[in-house]
Amino acid sequence: MSKILTIGVAAYNAESTISNTIESLLVPEIMDKVEILIINDGSTDGTRKIIEKYKERYPKTVRVINKSNGGHGSVINKTISLAKGKYMKMVDADDTLEEIGYVDLVNILQSETVDAVLSPYFTANIISKEKSLHGYLLNDEKIFYDKRKVKFNDYYKKIKPTLHSITYRTAILRDSKWRVDEKCFYEDTQYSLYYWLDINSILLLSKPIYCYWLGNENQSVNIKNRLVRRQQAISVVLNLVNFFDSEKANMSMQKITFFKSEIDGYTTFIYKLLMALSDEKKAKKETKIYDTYLKQNSIVLYSGLGNYGTSKKLARLIKILRKTSWHGYYIVYKLLNKKIIKQITV
């Protein structure tokens, strides 16, 4: 039987969580319609042994690819090239899927052809197990639609896609010339955006499918790790800026508006991240370097900072600092540093 959905599982040194993830994907009702494609990204612990056992037990459902370490982005790119399902969804090896929404998704996609599916998702604390529901609309509006098929041009001002909310039609990914960055973190932002360049039809669902587990100090979104890896985050965002700059001439006005809004949110976040550094001199120096690069690569996003996305207050302050040759930066830093750290702490 042809597969409806490929679940790409990114696995690196995940021996303590990978079984829980895979078990959430092995729902008997839909196993014959699903391909679970586990990419072992050069793990050095017991991950490979665990996933090989699942491959042996479920040979018609589970596929395992063992490769050298290339980072989360390399797993996404590999999954795009190997997926057999008509649709594709990525899952990290420390997250899970919600059975009701997952089953519903697969059954619905049997008779639907759309470019992308958006669904709500949970974030959950690994210690307290407390869950919080998130939406796929701007400002995290928890307004969900049950099997509503819409056109991108009618919803481009409303949607807020993330890796956890998106299911793509595989052909959209495979036919795109864009691939996410490898050997780095935070490239899921690229995965969440690049492919909307070719998306015209969207299916909106009401049931949560993904559960994103937080609270592990080793996670890339932990603030300490964000700061240590900030150059990777900057590189990913600047490549998004370059993507927009290279493609905007061929975009419709709706696509331009959508990408401006989304990428503006990420470009502004970098200013916030740098202001969370403990060394104010280093924060100022790196902010000026980043700001210069942004100006050189996309005057549209540079001059329009904060006009399209979030963090408008911070964006206004950045624009004032530009006009004063960054005099007064330390005052702004002292006012916002602790508040920003609190905002971005996961």
Side-chain angles (χ1 to χ4, degrees):
M1 182 178 183
S2 60
K3 300 294 185 178
I4 303 299
L5 177 67
T6 292
I7 302 289
V9 180
Y12 174 71
N13 286 354
E15 63 179 5
S16 64
T17 60
I18 188 71
S19 292
N20 194 40
T21 298
I22 297 173
E23 291 293 338
S24 77
L25 308 179
L26 292 168
V27 180
E29 180 182 343
I30 55 171
M31 274 178 55
D32 61 337
K33 305 169 189 174
V34 172
E35 172 192 36
I36 301 172
L37 180 55
I38 309 171
I39 310 292
N40 174 29
D41 191 38
S43 297
T44 56
D45 64 355
T47 297
R48 179 168 182 169
K49 185 176 180 180
I50 293 169
I51 61 179
E52 290 290 355
K53 287 183 178 179
Y54 278 102
K55 176 184 174 182
E56 292 172 5
R57 289 172 58 192
Y58 304 98
K60 295 182 179 180
T61 301
V62 176
R63 268 209 295 165
V64 170
I65 303 296
N66 295 297
K67 70 178 195 66
S68 59
N69 182 258
H72 191 268
S74 72
V75 172
I76 291 176
N77 293 334
K78 178 68 75 173
T79 304
I80 290 172
S81 69
L82 297 177
K84 295 180 179 179
K86 182 179 178 182
Y87 294 90
M88 181 181 134
K89 189 169 188 67
M90 292 300 304
V91 176
D92 287 337
D94 54 356
D95 293 332
T96 55
L97 293 191
E98 300 289 305
E99 182 172 333
I100 295 175
Y102 174 36
V103 170
D104 200 39
L105 172 70
V106 174
N107 289 333
I108 290 170
L109 292 182
Q110 277 191 278
S111 57
E112 286 286 357
T113 298
V114 290
D115 296 330
V117 181
L118 290 175
S119 55
Y121 65 96
F122 289 115
T123 55
N125 186 280
I126 60 174
I127 298 173
S128 69
K129 311 301 180 185
E130 183 179 348
K131 290 184 176 181
S132 177
L133 183 64
H134 300 267
Y136 44 74
L137 300 179
L138 281 173
N139 302 316
D140 203 28
E141 292 181 26
K142 295 180 177 61
I143 301 171
F144 309 130
Y145 300 97
D146 187 27
K147 305 175 189 175
R148 176 179 290 190
K149 196 172 180 179
V150 301
K151 295 179 180 179
F152 173 86
N153 286 352
D154 294 331
Y155 270 74
Y156 70 98
K157 290 183 179 180
K158 303 176 183 179
I159 57 176
K160 178 70 177 177
T162 66
L163 180 144
H164 315 107
S165 64
I166 300 172
T167 302
Y168 287 117
R169 184 161 59 87
T170 306
I172 290 287
L173 306 177
R174 193 162 291 154
D175 293 345
S176 173
K177 70 179 182 180
W178 292 95
R179 293 294 181 265
V180 303
D181 292 353
E182 301 189 3
K183 295 186 181 297
C184 69
F185 291 88
Y186 314 112
E187 82 303 320
D188 59 293
T189 56
Q190 297 172 338
Y191 178 73
S192 301
L193 286 184
Y194 281 163
Y195 306 106
W196 288 85
L197 191 64
D198 302 309
I199 286 172
N200 295 306
S201 58
I202 312 167
L203 183 65
L204 304 177
L205 299 181
S206 61
K207 296 182 180 66
I209 297 169
Y210 200 108
C211 187
Y212 177 28
W213 291 90
L214 296 168
N216 186 335
E217 64 179 14
N218 295 320
Q219 288 177 308
S220 61
V221 293
N222 177 283
I223 186 171
K224 292 180 181 178
N225 295 329
R226 279 189 188 274
L227 291 173
V228 169
R229 299 165 179 160
R230 62 188 180 280
Q231 293 304 323
Q232 295 182 33
I234 291 171
S235 177
V236 165
V237 169
L238 291 177
N239 282 337
L240 278 172
V241 170
N242 293 336
F243 157 80
F244 176 75
D245 196 58
S246 67
E247 293 285 357
K248 67 178 185 294
N250 299 316
M251 290 182 189
S252 66
M253 288 306 300
Q254 292 90 345
K255 297 284 185 181
I256 288 174
T257 300
F258 170 75
F259 283 112
K260 273 184 181 178
S261 176
E262 289 299 301
I263 298 174
D264 180 60
Y266 291 121
T267 54
T268 307
F269 178 80
I270 296 299
Y271 291 97
K272 185 181 292 188
L273 180 64
L274 293 175
M275 204 169 281
L277 287 166
S278 59
D279 185 330
E280 61 183 17
K281 291 183 178 179
K282 183 179 290 186
K284 181 179 180 180
K285 180 182 178 181
E286 293 188 18
T287 297
K288 289 175 66 177
I289 293 171
Y290 170 70
D291 189 70
T292 299
Y293 192 96
L294 182 60
K295 182 179 182 180
Q296 292 172 343
N297 284 270
S298 180
I299 195 64
V300 172
L301 291 169
Y302 172 84
S303 60
L305 186 73
N307 291 351
Y308 318 109
T310 56
S311 301
K312 293 185 178 182
K313 181 179 178 180
L314 176 61
R316 285 196 295 269
L317 290 172
I318 294 297
K319 289 178 179 178
I320 292 171
L321 289 171
R322 288 171 178 170
K323 291 178 180 179
T324 63
S325 299
W326 299 92
H327 295 303
Y329 179 86
Y330 296 134
I331 295 173
V332 174
Y333 174 92
K334 284 181 171 61
L335 286 171
L336 297 182
N337 174 259
K338 290 182 180 179
K339 184 183 294 185
I340 285 174
I341 289 173
K342 186 175 181 180
Q343 286 177 354
I344 65 177
T345 297
V346 174

